[in-house]
Amino acid sequence: MNRSLSQPADPAKRLILAAVCLSALVLPLSFSGGAVATPAIGRDLGGDAASLTWITNAFMLSFGSLLMAAGALADQFGRKKLFVFGLGGFIVTSLAMSFAPSVVGLDVLRALQGVAAAASLSSGAASLAQEFDGHARTRAFSLLGTSFGIGLAFGPLMAGVLIGQFGWRSIFAVIAAIGAVAFAFGVPRMRETRDPGATGLDYPGTVTFTATLALFTFGVIEAPERGWGSAPVVALLAASALFLAAFVVVETRAKRPMLELGLFRYPRFVGVQILPVGTCYCYIVLVVMLPLRFIGAEGLSEMDAGLLMIALSAPMLIVPMAVASLTRWLSPGVLSGIGFLIAAAGLFWLSGVDFAASRGALVAPMLVIGVGAGMPWGLMDGLSVSVVPKERAGMASGIFSTTRVAGEGIALAIATAILAALAHAGLARTVAGGTMASDGPGIDARIAEAAQRMTAGDVSHALAALPEVGRAALRASYAEAFTSLLHVLIVITLLSAVATFAFLSRAPAQDDEPGSRADGEARADVAVNA
């Protein structure tokens, strides 16, 4: 029997939905707020450029790599039980971070926070799938996606206000408080559900998948400083490739794998996974890297940077809901592809703006990017709901969320490495063509250090590493590198548009979806057309 928001249990379900959405809200708040706080944390606690980079990447790595495992655990041991563990752990680690004594200690806590976030999100999403059916279920997941958008939209501004008034530590205290509110309202009303067919955690799959992401991310982060051809970096990337191969073998042979690789035979399943990857490069990368540039290179305060970031993130409050109504006339795949094209146009516009000349000139292209990214963002959660049967809701949420979050972590690591490499090349040209001695003591190491510091938004330490270049030359080299990075993001976004049109523009055929029984087709139609 279909349950909907209009039935007698409606008030309790609404509170559960509100609690899960509130718990989802604090995840991007923690992500984007931590990015804005990185320069302030560096000024307060010190730390090298790599350790500052891990403030964001440690969270994203553990979060993304454990989402599928968390979904399987939720199916086996109970969605409510894992939600309590995950949200409770998130609150505790967030509060502990407000007392962190060092950058390394903060990095460790961020990794633990990511573990708790994975448990919270997977179990919360799976619980919603059990509470709601049909159109109500699609609306619930749409609100879940909107919650992410709100967190991303207001995270930089919230962080800027808090840093300006109370310091960076207050960000994590406030996040803990919001999580506590979600815990108090949601947990008492949530019912326990399990998958009776769950067989336990796929430990070999979990270990090999986590190792793949960890080694790859670590190798990419270390590459700008050590060099892509250095033995440690090559060893890390090679080990990552080996673990990836092992993961594929393990999942192919597992009786009930963490990730059913056979799903990739279905074009629409592949297309759904492309959507979060594309939004990573046209939107998420900018959510992290623009504040670092505004604060570090352009000298804006955290609050001013947060206000400026609203131009990028505010469309996430409107566009995801508005675009859903357009599915009456255009397919979600076509709308998503159009969104990527709009975002690519905004990126191209932004690449031609002089950041130092006028802050107002940045607003329009950032709005265009936000509108474009918001179109697939508002559709991909609904599209992902019908990937697997309802009974495998933990896996369903885990697969899509893993693609989204792991993709974000990988995209950030790659974009940071590209920017650092471009900044390094620009500084090397400046040194070689200037009046300073290009063969001074440790010049190559100092150029690499300055490039990494600039990438992390730490101008003062970049100047300390390369004082002979001067602030103006550092900013010019960084601006040139950032423009080149935007060109790379344009290409990736355009490729995402092409792939989206190819895989998702047509209506699903009778045999185009996994497990294409009538019930599965009905859920797919609801997810697409709601």
Side-chain angles (χ1 to χ4, degrees), residues 285-307:
V285 165
L286 297 182
V287 168
V288 174
M289 305 194 81
L290 279 177
L292 296 180
R293 177 168 182 183
F294 291 152
I295 298 167
E298 306 302 328
L300 296 183
S301 67
E302 283 83 0
M303 186 179 299
D304 289 339
L307 287 170

Side-chain angles (χ1 to χ4, degrees), residues 3-16 131-132 189 191:
R3 298 184 297 269
S4 71
L5 290 172
S6 62
Q7 288 184 324
D10 182 41
K13 289 185 178 184
R14 288 182 183 276
L15 285 172
I16 293 171
E131 294 293 341
F132 301 107
R189 296 165 178 84
R191 65 188 178 96

Side-chain angles (χ1 to χ4, degrees), residues 30 87-101 106 109 113 168-180:
S30 176
L87 186 55
F90 187 89
I91 294 167
V92 171
T93 53
S94 298
L95 190 60
M97 280 188 283
S98 65
F99 299 97
L106 187 62
L109 287 170
Q113 186 187 43
W168 65 266
R169 295 180 186 274
S170 63
I171 296 173
F172 301 109
V174 169
I175 287 171
I178 297 173

Side-chain angles (χ1 to χ4, degrees), residues 96-451:
M97 280 188 283
S98 65
F99 299 97
S102 65
V103 175
V104 173
L106 187 62
D107 290 343
V108 172
L109 287 170
R110 287 285 276 177
L112 294 175
Q113 186 187 43
V115 175
S120 173
L121 179 61
S122 283
S123 56
S127 293
L128 292 184
Q130 304 305 309
E131 294 293 341
F132 301 107
D133 285 326
H135 287 284
R137 186 178 182 216
T138 302
R139 287 196 298 270
F141 274 86
S142 177
L143 286 172
L144 186 65
T146 302
S147 298
F148 274 89
I150 293 172
L152 288 171
F154 289 100
L157 178 59
M158 183 197 76
V161 172
L162 290 174
I163 291 171
Q165 296 296 319
F166 307 106
W168 65 266
R169 295 180 186 274
S170 63
I171 296 173
F172 301 109
V174 169
I175 287 171
I178 297 173
V181 172
F183 192 96
F185 279 92
V187 171
R189 296 165 178 84
M190 190 176 289
R191 65 188 178 96
E192 185 63 275
T193 59
R194 295 180 176 86
D195 177 5
T199 57
L201 181 63
D202 176 13
Y203 288 100
T206 300
V207 170
T208 51
F209 183 73
T210 303
T212 298
L213 287 183
L215 292 168
F216 180 81
T217 303
F218 191 46
V220 171
I221 289 175
E222 290 294 313
E225 181 178 358
R226 297 177 180 271
W228 287 96
S230 65
V233 171
V234 171
L236 286 167
L237 297 179
S240 175
L242 288 175
F243 273 105
L244 177 60
F247 173 72
V248 172
V249 172
V250 166
E251 296 303 282
T252 301
R253 297 179 178 179
K255 182 178 180 181
R256 189 166 184 183
M258 180 174 70
L259 173 62
E260 294 181 0
L261 297 176
L263 292 172
F264 286 95
R265 296 196 305 266
Y266 301 96
R268 291 180 64 78
F269 176 81
V270 175
V272 168
Q273 311 313 310
I274 290 170
L275 300 181
V277 173
T279 56
C280 286
Y281 286 96
C282 69
Y283 180 69
I284 297 297
V285 165
L286 297 182
V287 168
V288 174
M289 305 194 81
L290 279 177
L292 296 180
R293 177 168 182 183
F294 291 152
I295 298 167
E298 306 302 328
L300 296 183
S301 67
E302 283 83 0
M303 186 179 299
D304 289 339
L307 287 170
L308 193 54
M309 287 298 295
I310 292 179
L312 179 69
S313 296
M316 286 294 175
L317 304 179
I318 302 171
V319 174
M321 291 182 286
V323 75
S325 63
L326 299 179
T327 56
R328 297 175 183 272
W329 299 280
L330 293 173
S331 74
V334 170
L335 289 168
S336 297
I338 292 172
F340 283 131
L341 293 178
I342 293 173
L347 287 167
F348 180 76
W349 187 356
L350 185 64
S351 69
V353 174
D354 183 357
F355 280 47
S358 171
R359 308 301 179 207
L362 297 168
V363 172
M366 289 170 67
L367 279 171
V368 172
I369 295 169
V371 169
M375 293 178 68
W377 191 281
L379 298 169
M380 57 190 182
D381 285 280
L383 282 168
S384 70
V385 171
S386 60
V387 169
V388 297
K390 176 182 174 181
E391 292 72 22
R392 302 300 304 279
M395 173 178 279
S397 63
I399 291 172
F400 176 73
S401 298
T402 295
T403 303
R404 170 187 275 171
V405 180
E408 290 171 359
I410 291 173
L412 285 172
I414 291 174
T416 301
I418 291 173
L419 183 59
L422 292 168
H424 184 283
L427 287 174
R429 288 194 299 271
T430 300
V431 170
T435 58
M436 69 286 289
S438 60
D439 56 351
I443 188 64
D444 290 337
R446 292 194 293 121
I447 290 174
E449 172 71 10

Side-chain angles (χ1 to χ4, degrees), residues 17-30:
L17 174 60
V20 173
C21 287
L22 195 59
S23 67
L25 174 71
V26 297
L27 302 185
L29 279 177
S30 176

